[in-house]
């Protein structure tokens, strides 16, 4: 029996989480995994006794799920699945060598606390039943169909990498950027490295008044002393140090009561050192009267705006404002109709805005053209009117009007075994916590389908074994989570000498070099 | 075959024990694990806190004066899905808790910063607070805090695309 016992021991050691040797039975072992133990021991013991020690694979019984995208949606979906069932194995595929999606590339550098969720994601990634495969382009290196063959369920969580366009003439002029690209630039997204926005103008106009628009405004106007202690990229810091931008207008189609940003971000603008607010009092006509009917969150936000725009400041605040070298302000009831070029040049000289009036009130109020327009001279336009998801693979249904994958509770319509979570599922709005809930809901749908038999779990699936073989054949080498940790350590070390939490690597080549050295 | 039966029995017994513990495990973010108050560690110093979870079940635990309610949830490994995502840094509203009127009045003043984040909580009430900002004192002994339905922030713009 000696040989067989040793074999079991080795096998269990290799594949199971914890190993406890029971003193009462000197040569037997208790393998305490998270639920797989009984089944797999059963299976493998019979193989052991049947024909000696073989390389018994564990692929026979455990449900295997593949997640495409390693941002909050991917990680929260994985977390919920792994926690709910002790036999589920989850593989997360990511196109870049680095994980975490918009937590790394979207959240503003001066909002480090928002990035704390990375700690939770790291715990998930390091769980024995979770594996991370970076540097894998799903849709190019491997198809969705191939993933579906290898896994019991495939979850699409790849978010929204495109952006809504304004659809106006002059949008392609030099000096006009989408907020997605601008944010990608200051956050070190490799594809935005060459953006090099021209900051030699005095006035910048941002279209859109959501939190992303306020992030862009704040980064353009923050004192360098504050930014240089964040994980903002070095090239951005250098560009901002030379920036001539002194005035930022944040423009919205509708009125103050419809503004999409939230109070925390507004308060940050109001309190931004060395800046003063510059609003148009007439934009706020009738707003004070409407206050009493507003729910508390909207009321507080509107009150702060009113105070900032209309109230005569006290002596101290008056002094602070008079010394400020930079201004920011909201402009309401304006929609872009054309970006104007300098005559004979292809550089932007200004933007033509249509003047709107509101029909209706509250959330449902509509902006209606009045026929009047107004030209605003400026040298930088950032369009912050929404991100947009793109189709990944022709075999996946895609609603191009809503720019989402059509689904019901995360189950992709007319596609068995295919699910979606995050912005791809509901559209590109909401903060991390919203995505968390959204992802938990998709995970619940998957678990329901596993329990009910809607998801066919009868046949074993090879999971990452077959996908890794495919990738190797195609010359694609995945980046593991420990490879990412090497990148992480290099970034943090580089940041240390500069007083920053990290100095991000800015190219895929550099990331891969560090990962694989 | 005796080996198989023995193993099966052993594994079954230990699995029952392990899975009971495992299902109670969250992914506690141990960044803010123990925060010990200034008092000595005597058990008569502890404050009893009752949580009502989303299934309506009452969970009674103890914490130390100075611990925040988020600390208590983490230290006691309470399994509230998604609770405390930002680890107590006032960057989300997932530690949203609801109190009865009387207890709410005892909770002390609320800052603008807390209210800014609380305003975004799903199911906001007049007696809502963020758990990471409530610190235990003896006067809060026996408090009841209800974990509301969902942890979603409401920062979604209705742009008609969803």
């Amino acid at each position: 029996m000696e040989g067989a016992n040793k074999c079991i021991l080795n096998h269990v050691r290799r594949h199971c989480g914890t190993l406890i040797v029971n003193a009462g039975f000197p040569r037997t072992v208790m393998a305490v995994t998270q639920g797989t133990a009984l089944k797999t021991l059963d299976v493998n013991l019979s193989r052991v006794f049947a024909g000696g020690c073989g390389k018994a694979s564990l692929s026979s019984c455990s449900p295997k799920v593949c997640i495409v995208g390693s941002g909050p949606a991917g990680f929260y979906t994985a977390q919920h699945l792994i926690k709910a069932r002790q036999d589920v194995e989850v593989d997360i595929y990511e196109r870049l060598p680095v994980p975490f999606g918009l937590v790394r590339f979207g959240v503003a550098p001066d909002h480090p606390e928002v990035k704390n969720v990375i700690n939770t994601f790291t715990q998930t990634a390091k769980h024995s039943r979770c594996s991370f495969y970076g540097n894998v382009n799903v849709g190019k290196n491997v198809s969705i169909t191939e993933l579906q063959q290898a896994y019991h369920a495939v979850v699409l969580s790849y978010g929204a990498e495109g952006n809504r366009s304004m659809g106006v003439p002059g949008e392609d002029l030099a000096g006009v950027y989408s907020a997605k690209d601008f944010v990608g630039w200051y956050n070190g997204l490799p594809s935005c490295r060459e953006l090099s926005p021209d900051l030699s103008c005095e006035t910048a106009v941002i279209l859109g008044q959501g939190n992303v628009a306020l992030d862009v405004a704040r980064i353009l106007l923050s004192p360098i002393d504050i930014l240089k202690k964040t994980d903002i990229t070095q090239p951005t810091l250098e560009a901002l140090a030379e920036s001539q931008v002194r005035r930022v207008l944040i423009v919205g189609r509708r009125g103050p009561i419809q503004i999409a940003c939230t109070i925390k971000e507004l308060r940050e603008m109001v309190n931004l050192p060395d800046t003063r607010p510059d609003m148009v009092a007439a934009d706020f006509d009738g707003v004070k009267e409407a206050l009493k009917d507003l729910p508390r969150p909207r009321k507080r936000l509107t009150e702060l705006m009113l105070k900032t725009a209309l109230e005569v400041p006290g002596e101290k605040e008056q002094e602070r404002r008079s010394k400020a070298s930079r201004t920011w302000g909201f402009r309401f009831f304006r929609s872009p109709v054309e970006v104007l070029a300098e005559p004979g040049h292809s550089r932007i000289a200004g933007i033509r805005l249509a003047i709107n009036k509101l029909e209706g009130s509250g959330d449902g109020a509509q902006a209606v053209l009045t026929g009047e327009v107004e030209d605003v001279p400026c040298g930088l336009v950032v369009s912050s009117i929404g991100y947009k998801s793109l189709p990944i693979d022709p075999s996946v249904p895609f609603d191009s009007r809503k720019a989402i994958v059509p689904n019901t509770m995360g189950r992709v319509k007319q596609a068995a075994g295919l699910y979606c979570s995050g912005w791809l599922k509901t559209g590109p709005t909401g903060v991390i916590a919203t995505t968390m809930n959204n992802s938990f809901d998709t995970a619940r749908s998957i678990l329901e389908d596993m329990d009910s038999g809607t998801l066919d779990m009868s046949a074993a699936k090879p999971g990452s074994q077959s996908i890794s073989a495919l990738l190797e054949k195609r010359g694609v080498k995945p980046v593991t989570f420990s490879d990412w940790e090497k990148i992480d350590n290099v970034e943090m070390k580089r940041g240390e000498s500069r007083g920053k939490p990290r100095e991000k690597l800015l190219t895929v080549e550099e990331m891969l070099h560090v990962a694989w050295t | 075959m005796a080996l198989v039966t023995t193993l099966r029995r052993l594994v079954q017994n230990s699995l029952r024990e392990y899975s009971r513990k495992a299902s109670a495990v969250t992914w506690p973010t141990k960044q803010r694990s123990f925060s010990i108050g200034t008092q000595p560690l005597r058990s008569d110093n502890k404050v009893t806190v009752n949580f009502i979870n989303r299934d309506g079940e009452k969970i009674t635990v103890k914490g130390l004066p100075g611990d925040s309610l988020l600390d208590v949830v983490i230290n006691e490994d309470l399994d509230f899905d998604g609770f405390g995502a930002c680890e107590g840094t006032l960057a989300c509203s997932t530690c949203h808790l609801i109190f009865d009127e009387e207890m709410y009045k005892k909770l002390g003043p609320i800052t603008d910063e807390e209210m800014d984040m609380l305003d975004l909580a799903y199911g906001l009430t007049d007696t809502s607070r963020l758990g990471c900002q409530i610190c235990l004192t003896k006067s809060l002994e026996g408090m009841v805090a209800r974990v509301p339905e969902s942890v979603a922030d409401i920062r979604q713009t209705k742009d008609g695309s969803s």
Side-chain angles (χ1 to χ4, degrees):
Chain A
M1 269 305 180
E2 188 61 60
N5 277 350
K6 216 165 150 192
C7 210
I8 298 167
L9 198 66
N10 284 337
H11 172 86
V12 165
R13 251 199 204 113
R14 252 203 322 278
H15 293 281
C16 300
T18 328
L19 202 57
I20 304 167
V21 176
N22 186 304
F25 297 84
R27 294 213 211 102
T28 62
V29 297
M30 243 176 0
V32 184
T33 66
Q34 282 143 334
T36 47
L38 190 56
K39 281 194 203 156
T40 54
L41 273 177
D42 233 356
V43 168
N44 297 308
L45 278 172
S46 55
R47 288 168 94 144
V48 164
F49 286 109
C53 298
K55 219 183 190 186
S57 124
L58 267 178
S59 61
S60 20
C61 306
S62 43
K64 290 194 163 62
V65 179
C66 157
I67 296 181
V68 180
S70 70
F75 269 107
Y76 278 127
T77 308
Q79 175 188 315
H80 200 270
L81 286 170
I82 292 174
K83 205 167 101 167
R85 268 183 81 128
Q86 316 293 23
D87 57 351
V88 165
E89 287 168 28
V90 178
D91 292 337
I92 303 177
Y93 291 88
E94 162 61 48
R95 186 174 56 193
L96 286 171
V98 298
F100 309 136
L102 283 178
V103 178
R104 178 181 165 99
F105 294 116
V107 175
D110 56 352
H111 287 168
E113 336 66 44
V114 178
K115 304 191 200 198
N116 282 347
V117 290
I118 287 180
N119 298 329
T120 313
F121 300 162
T122 300
Q123 287 194 14
T124 302
K126 290 167 99 144
H127 192 282
S128 57
R129 286 183 285 120
C130 184
S131 301
F132 171 79
Y133 297 96
N135 195 41
V136 177
N137 187 330
V138 173
K140 192 166 146 216
N141 301 144
V142 61
S143 72
I144 296 288
T145 312
E146 285 165 339
L147 289 176
Q148 285 186 286
Q149 281 162 0
Y151 292 91
H152 293 105
V154 173
V155 187
L156 303 173
S157 312
Y158 63 80
E161 63 182 290
N163 60 269
R164 289 172 73 186
S165 76
M166 289 190 281
V168 303
E171 194 162 4
D172 297 322
L173 285 172
V176 183
Y177 307 97
S178 69
K180 165 191 88 71
D181 287 341
F182 197 83
V183 170
W185 171 68
Y186 66 60
N187 274 335
L189 185 61
S191 60
C192 296
R193 193 169 63 98
E194 317 273 277
L195 201 75
S196 312
D198 186 342
L199 305 177
S200 61
C201 55
E202 196 203 333
T203 301
V205 169
I206 303 174
L207 281 332
Q209 296 172 324
N211 286 337
V212 176
L214 264 63
D215 279 353
V216 171
R218 202 176 63 249
I219 296 297
L220 280 172
L221 295 179
S222 279
I224 291 289
D225 282 342
I226 294 178
L227 292 178
K228 72 180 187 203
K229 298 196 191 104
T230 70
D231 64 7
I232 199 167
T233 71
Q234 198 57 25
T236 305
L237 215 46
E238 285 163 19
L240 288 173
E242 307 286 302
S243 165
Q244 306 290 311
V245 175
R246 294 289 175 269
R247 184 167 165 252
V248 175
L249 300 176
I250 308 166
V251 179
R253 290 172 303 133
R254 300 187 293 171
I257 294 179
Q258 288 75 36
I259 204 170
C261 65
T262 51
I263 194 172
K264 175 174 178 249
E265 285 71 15
L266 174 59
R267 212 183 279 284
E268 284 171 344
M269 285 311 298
V270 172
N271 295 335
L272 196 56
D274 196 29
T275 68
R276 68 166 185 274
D278 156 34
M279 313 270 206
V280 174
D283 280 348
F284 295 87
D285 286 344
V287 172
K288 194 149 174 246
E289 291 70 29
L291 270 181
K292 58 177 170 23
D293 297 321
L294 299 173
R296 188 180 98 179
R298 176 61 68 182
K299 185 158 176 257
R300 289 181 74 237
L301 171 61
T302 312
E303 277 171 346
L304 181 57
M305 251 195 297
L306 277 174
K307 179 166 179 236
T308 309
L310 302 180
E311 201 179 84
V312 175
E315 207 181 306
K316 216 168 127 195
E317 171 66 8
Q318 189 71 284
E319 208 195 320
R320 191 194 73 82
R321 289 188 189 184
S322 61
K323 288 193 184 145
S325 66
R326 301 173 176 197
T327 68
W328 66 278
F330 294 126
R331 292 293 181 270
F332 295 99
F333 312 107
R334 302 285 186 274
S335 298
V337 289
E338 189 178 345
V339 180
L340 308 166
E342 245 169 72
H345 289 87
S346 59
R347 262 212 62 79
I348 172 186
I351 185 165
R352 179 160 291 162
L353 303 172
I355 302 179
N356 301 323
K357 63 176 194 271
L358 274 191
E359 268 177 16
S361 65
D363 274 349
Q366 304 261 27
V368 168
L369 294 170
T370 59
E372 285 178 60
V373 295
E374 175 184 83
D375 289 353
V376 177
C378 61
L380 177 66
V381 165
V382 179
S383 159
S384 182
I385 59 176
Y387 285 65
K388 196 167 86 169
S389 290
L390 305 175
I392 194 177
D393 189 299
S395 68
V396 178
F398 192 79
D399 180 339
S400 28
R401 189 180 65 85
K402 292 183 183 173
I404 57 170
V405 169
N407 70 91
T408 315
M409 314 251 285
R411 297 176 174 98
V412 177
K413 290 187 179 162
Q414 285 144 18
L418 205 54
Y419 300 81
C420 56
S421 67
W423 281 5
L424 185 62
K425 170 183 169 191
T426 56
T429 59
V431 296
I432 295 174
T434 325
T435 297
M436 170 168 72
N437 237 57
N438 162 332
S439 305
F440 286 174
D441 280 342
T442 295
R444 275 188 274 267
S445 293
I446 298 173
L447 293 164
E448 264 170 40
D449 291 352
M450 282 182 185
D451 286 340
S452 69
T454 307
L455 257 182
D456 184 8
M457 317 292 306
S458 58
K461 292 276 195 172
S464 57
Q465 269 178 353
S466 65
I467 299 300
S468 298
L470 255 178
L471 291 172
E472 199 180 329
K473 232 172 35 179
R474 293 170 186 173
V476 176
K477 188 176 171 193
V479 169
T480 65
F481 201 75
S482 15
D483 291 337
W484 145 249
E485 287 181 311
K486 285 201 247 166
I487 298 172
D488 194 24
N489 287 332
V490 163
E491 289 187 342
M492 288 194 289
K493 192 132 180 274
R494 289 192 189 182
E496 225 179 277
S497 55
R498 290 200 165 119
K500 298 164 85 168
R502 72 176 59 242
E503 187 61 65
K504 289 179 181 168
L505 300 184
L506 300 178
T507 64
V508 169
E509 292 69 36
E510 259 190 289
M511 293 173 185
L512 293 177
H513 176 76
V514 169
W516 295 331
T517 308
Chain B
M1 273 310 137
L3 177 61
V4 181
T5 332
T6 313
L7 273 172
R8 195 194 294 261
R9 195 159 45 83
L10 280 171
V11 170
Q12 242 165 353
N13 289 341
S14 65
L15 269 179
R16 226 174 277 134
E17 167 65 29
Y18 191 84
S19 59
R20 200 165 45 81
K21 270 200 208 150
S23 62
V25 169
T26 58
W27 258 265
T29 45
K30 293 286 187 191
Q31 294 272 105
R32 280 175 51 91
S33 45
F34 287 100
S35 81
I36 299 187
T38 51
Q39 280 96 342
L41 277 161
R42 297 195 312 262
S43 60
D44 57 343
N45 227 14
K46 288 200 168 187
V47 180
T48 307
V49 180
N50 301 292
F51 289 99
I52 314 272
N53 71 11
R54 293 192 187 99
D55 295 323
E57 295 163 343
K58 189 178 192 182
I59 301 160
T60 302
V61 292
K62 287 194 198 281
L64 289 166
D67 283 352
S68 74
L69 287 178
L70 176 60
D71 289 334
V72 174
V73 169
I74 292 176
N75 293 345
E76 297 298 314
D77 266 338
L78 300 182
D79 189 12
F80 306 146
D81 245 353
F83 201 86
C86 77
E87 300 176 8
T89 54
L90 281 180
C92 76
S93 61
T94 61
C95 66
H96 174 206
L97 293 169
I98 300 176
F99 303 87
D100 61 70
E101 283 244 26
E102 246 187 77
M103 181 51 60
Y104 179 76
K105 292 195 189 115
K106 290 193 197 168
L107 293 177
I110 181 172
T111 60
D112 269 340
E113 285 70 35
E114 180 185 341
M115 224 185 309
D116 286 353
M117 297 318 296
L118 190 57
D119 272 357
L120 310 176
Y122 186 84
L124 179 67
T125 69
D126 289 332
T127 54
S128 289
R129 289 293 299 267
L130 292 181
C132 67
Q133 301 300 299
I134 307 293
C135 286
L136 291 181
T137 61
K138 265 322 232 168
S139 66
L140 302 179
E141 169 68 31
M143 71 168 1
V144 179
R146 186 163 66 83
V147 183
E149 267 308 307
S150 149
V151 293
D153 245 305
I154 58 167
R155 274 177 287 187
Q156 298 196 55
T157 51
K158 289 181 173 63
D159 61 359
S161 67
S162 42

